[in-house]
């Protein structure tokens, strides 16, 4: 079995600079995977992909963002119908605020919480992901310069935050 991964929307580390979140223009990222169970499946997918590239005279790598433009509607439609299927292609879309929220919960409560109470963990992460920018900026400031004193100040911030 082989698994191939690619990402989109990864604009670097999720950070804050000058009290602005660095992911305002790209609030989500995606991880895509192609899973092939054996050489036969790999060869069939490669053949479909190569037929697509030949049909539309495409050389080199294809960027998904290019296929999403109006001028490439025909290519996109063909790719969706002739290349993609539900057996080999998988996508996870991740909201960066939600991601920060899961990191916050894991750092404060631990992996046991996520493992033993996953539904509650992700409900809490969802709730936290709806907070204003200042909530995330303060967390990112803390994790960029952690110390015992900063941890205490951050906990006080969390206690007094208007959720």
């Amino acid at each position: 079995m082989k698994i191939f991964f690619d990402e989109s929307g990864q604009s670097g580390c999720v950070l804050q600079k000058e009290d602005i979140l660095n992911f305002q223009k790209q609030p989500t990222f995606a991880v895509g995977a192609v899973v092939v169970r054996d050489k036969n499946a790999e060869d069939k997918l490669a053949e479909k992909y190569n037929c697509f590239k030949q049909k539309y005279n495409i050389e080199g790598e294809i960027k998904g963002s290019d296929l999403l433009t109006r001028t490439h509607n025909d290519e996109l439609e063909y790719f969706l119908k002739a290349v993609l299927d539900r057996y080999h292609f998988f996508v996870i879309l991740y909201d960066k605020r939600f991601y920060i929220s899961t990191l916050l919960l894991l750092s404060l409560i631990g992996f046991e919480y996520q493992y033993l109470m996953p539904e509650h963990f992700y409900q809490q992460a969802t709730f936290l992901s709806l907070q204003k920018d200042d909530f995330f900026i303060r967390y990112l400031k803390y994790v960029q310069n952690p110390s015992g004193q900063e941890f205490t100040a951050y906990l006080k911030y969390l206690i007094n935050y208007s959720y």
Side-chain angles (χ1 to χ4, degrees), residues 26-150:
Q26 281 189 310
T28 59
F29 61 84
V31 177
V34 177
V35 178
V36 291
R37 301 205 183 283
D38 55 37
K39 181 74 170 127
N40 185 40
E42 184 178 359
D43 290 345
K44 285 181 181 179
L45 285 176
E47 183 180 341
K48 286 182 182 182
Y49 182 69
N50 288 329
C51 285
F52 164 70
K53 288 177 70 173
Q54 287 176 351
K55 179 175 177 68
Y56 294 100
N57 297 317
I58 298 171
E59 294 184 23
E61 180 184 7
I62 300 167
K63 294 301 246 179
S65 57
D66 292 341
L67 286 179
L68 297 176
T69 61
R70 182 172 286 138
T71 57
H72 295 287
N73 281 351
D74 292 340
E75 290 96 324
L76 178 60
E77 183 176 356
Y78 180 91
F79 189 80
L80 291 171
K81 289 181 178 179
V83 179
L84 295 184
D85 63 42
R86 62 183 175 152
Y87 305 106
H88 299 98
F89 297 90
F90 302 88
V91 177
I92 296 174
L93 299 175
Y94 224 84
D95 178 86
K96 292 177 183 177
R97 290 172 181 270
F98 182 82
Y99 172 68
I100 295 171
S101 299
T102 61
L103 293 178
L104 169 62
L105 287 172
L106 288 171
S107 66
L108 291 177
I109 305 173
F111 287 97
E112 295 83 9
Y113 171 49
Q114 181 189 30
Y115 178 74
L116 295 173
M117 301 176 68
E119 185 176 338
H120 191 263
F121 175 86
Y122 289 109
Q123 286 173 343
Q124 291 301 308
T126 299
F127 168 76
L128 291 176
S129 73
L130 302 174
Q131 305 313 306
K132 295 178 184 169
D133 284 0
D134 64 322
F135 180 81
F136 300 99
I137 290 168
R138 184 65 179 90
Y139 174 74
L140 293 170
K141 281 183 176 181
Y142 162 65
V143 297
Q144 287 171 0
N145 295 304
S147 68
Q149 185 178 2
E150 282 297 315

